[in-house]
Amino acid sequence: PGILIGWQGSSSHIADLLLVEPALRAIAGAYSDVQMQFRGCDPPQSLRRLKCFEHKLWTAVAEYSARMPVWGWSIALAPVTDHPFNDAKSSIKLVEAAYCRIPCLASWVKPYDEFTSHDPELRWLLCASGSSWESKLRDLLNDEARRNELGQRMYNVMREHYSYVRPHEGWAKAFQLARSL
């Protein structure tokens, strides 16, 4: 069925979608085998008019980690505006994409910069300007091996730095403190 570009979010992220709208419109016009799937809130009408547009409703939080991997996304998007409020957010969008072993193009903001700092090759996924979204999307659409490599690298970072593969030092201290009370 081609390549599926995915985004999911709430209405608080509508302004963020405007960051990637020009790139998505250009991609929609240039690639007939690309689908764009938006999950959660309704995206702006301008995106809803794209011939490759698809909208899916919310997924229950309790089911999210089981469902996202079966959506079939090839590339995830995580645009956020550069604002101090967003600097306090987590890198959850990258962690979720990493769990699915797919690359996630993301805004160059503090939480996403921190995630990619664990593997310098992943810094390529950060988009500092509107034009970088389009050029990087084109690169990923045209290079399956690159998509797979970056998805695997993201997965490796997620496993090493954002999971409980090994005992977490902070939790060990917390349990030790609790036992001593």
Side-chain angles (χ1 to χ4, degrees):
I3 296 173
L4 186 56
I5 299 170
W7 173 89
Q8 57 84 26
S10 67
S11 58
S12 67
H13 290 285
I14 292 298
D16 299 333
L17 271 177
L18 299 177
L19 296 172
V20 295
E21 182 178 359
L24 296 179
R25 292 171 64 75
I27 295 300
Y31 293 83
S32 61
D33 63 338
V34 170
Q35 285 294 114
M36 296 178 191
Q37 187 177 89
F38 299 84
R39 289 183 168 264
C41 72
D42 288 330
Q45 275 299 324
S46 53
L47 291 173
R48 294 180 70 81
R49 286 193 279 271
L50 297 175
K51 63 179 170 55
C52 58
F53 171 86
E54 180 181 29
H55 180 254
K56 299 283 186 175
L57 296 177
W58 301 96
T59 297
V61 172
E63 300 171 11
Y64 190 81
S65 64
R67 291 190 183 234
M68 186 181 177
V70 298
W71 292 344
W73 290 1
S74 308
I75 302 165
L77 301 176
V80 288
T81 56
D82 190 9
H83 184 276
F85 176 73
N86 288 331
D87 286 345
K89 292 184 175 179
S90 73
S91 59
I92 190 67
K93 300 278 191 217
L94 274 66
V95 172
E96 292 166 348
Y99 180 73
C100 300
R101 288 187 170 93
I102 58 172
C104 183
L105 287 179
S107 294
W108 203 318
V109 294
K110 185 178 177 184
Y112 300 156
D113 183 52
E114 288 174 5
F115 180 94
T116 61
S117 72
H118 299 291
D119 180 344
E121 291 295 318
L122 294 178
R123 285 265 162 79
W124 182 87
L125 293 166
L126 300 177
C127 299
S129 67
S131 62
S132 61
W133 288 96
E134 182 179 343
S135 65
K136 291 179 181 192
L137 261 175
R138 287 180 187 274
D139 286 349
L140 290 174
L141 290 170
N142 292 319
D143 191 343
E144 182 180 5
R146 180 108 167 112
R147 282 195 315 270
N148 293 337
E149 176 197 357
L150 290 169
Q152 184 62 48
R153 284 176 171 275
M154 287 185 63
Y155 180 81
N156 295 345
V157 165
M158 181 271 305
R159 291 275 298 167
E160 177 68 22
H161 301 281
Y162 296 87
S163 72
Y164 293 109
V165 173
R166 62 182 184 280
H168 187 276
E169 181 181 306
W171 280 111
K173 287 180 183 177
F175 289 135
Q176 181 181 15
L177 177 64
R179 282 191 295 270
S180 71
L181 296 177

